[in-house]
Amino acid sequence: MRIINRRPLVWFAVSWLAGASCAASLTGMGIVFAGLAVTAVLAALAIGKAATWRLAVMCLLAYGLASGERLWADARNVTAFTGLAESADPLQTSPASVSGTIVSPVEVDGDIAQFRAKLSSARVGSEAGARRLSETVLVRVRLKEQPQQEIAAAWQRGEQVQIAGELQQPAAQSNIGGFDYRRYLRSQGIHWLLQVQGTGAVHAAPGPAWTAAALLGRIDNARAWLGSRVDKLYPADQAGYMKGLVLGIREDLDPDQYGQFARLGLTHILAISGLHVAVFVYAFGGLLRLLRFTRCNLA
């Protein structure tokens, strides 16, 4: 009967996820009615002594905080190009010259290089001057020739870039039940694509050394170095698999091997690589023990 009390963190997490999910999928009174239902369930558990009142209140608080945080985040998830968003056709592009920082690893796939950039200024269309803003866009560079692949691969997270391209809204859902690419990017705070023709339209230079993006760039370099060591330690037909399993580098994984993982239902092994769950749980549990926090503290 009191199994809930023995796992307070689990039920707190479940309540938090329920609140975030309801706020993401419901609107208006739907969120209120879901909250009332959660309140009723928690009250019933407390009255039936399946959970303590303290735990019930903590779970209800988690639901409310998660719902509020998600609503607050959605309200702030707006584009700085408001006038452009209100008037532009989804298939129409607007010429733009922007400045910002690369905030993601640069992915080079065939004749396309892709990365995310956090813009600090932009001049769109015939505007007289650049507007100051804070906007994350997905940059896609069309590579015109083979040597441009090496140029794009040398760009690093944390570098300052000046880019001339065309802003375009992501494609929306075209079929009922189909993938909504625009909604997918919006959930990550991205409202615009910046289409660029050739590496000549991208001017990259070293940025500040102690920003979050620059530090993550150093981690990218360390990861690439470890990947090169794996290449030396394992044969060619095994190195891609080991890099995917240990370092989470899946670009070199053989498609046939990935297909075998998919047929066996084991692609999740590669999906969580790079942050071993057991190591994370051990470190987190050790931190809680140092703080003298037991699993029954919330009961």
Side-chain angles (χ1 to χ4, degrees), residues 133-297:
L133 48 77
S134 179
E135 177 95 8
T136 301
V137 298
L138 182 63
V139 181
R140 285 181 174 171
V141 184
R142 176 76 64 177
L143 306 177
K144 297 181 178 180
E145 52 189 1
Q146 180 74 24
Q148 291 191 353
Q149 289 186 336
E150 297 180 4
I151 296 174
W155 297 333
Q156 295 183 14
R157 180 156 41 177
E159 289 186 332
Q160 301 289 317
V161 287
Q162 294 181 340
I163 309 172
E166 295 184 328
L167 283 174
Q168 180 182 22
Q169 289 182 311
Q173 181 181 2
S174 56
N175 299 317
I176 298 177
F179 179 66
D180 193 337
Y181 188 51
R182 182 180 299 178
R183 182 180 180 184
Y184 166 74
L185 289 180
R186 184 182 182 277
S187 68
Q188 302 176 48
I190 298 175
H191 301 265
W192 293 93
L193 305 177
L194 184 61
Q195 307 285 3
V196 183
Q197 297 299 322
T199 56
V202 181
H203 301 280
W210 299 107
T211 63
L215 293 174
L216 290 173
R218 295 191 185 97
I219 294 176
D220 293 338
N221 293 336
R223 195 178 180 209
W225 180 81
L226 290 172
S228 67
R229 301 297 297 175
V230 172
D231 285 330
K232 295 179 180 180
L233 291 172
Y234 292 91
D237 59 338
Q238 300 176 15
Y241 163 75
M242 291 305 299
K243 286 193 288 186
L245 183 66
V246 178
L247 302 173
I249 302 175
R250 288 175 286 176
E251 292 79 4
D252 297 332
L253 183 64
D254 184 84
D256 292 335
Q257 284 185 329
Y258 187 84
Q260 293 173 359
F261 273 86
R263 286 191 293 272
L264 294 173
L266 297 176
T267 53
H268 63 280
I269 294 177
L270 300 176
I272 64 175
S273 296
L275 177 61
H276 199 289
V277 175
V279 175
F280 176 80
V281 171
Y282 177 80
F284 187 67
L287 176 62
L288 292 180
R289 282 194 295 271
L290 287 175
L291 297 176
R292 299 185 181 278
F293 191 94
T294 70
R295 64 188 181 186
C296 296
N297 277 128

Side-chain angles (χ1 to χ4, degrees), residues 121-134:
S121 67
R123 182 170 61 85
V124 182
S126 58
E127 293 178 346
R131 64 173 86 177
R132 306 296 297 180
L133 48 77
S134 179

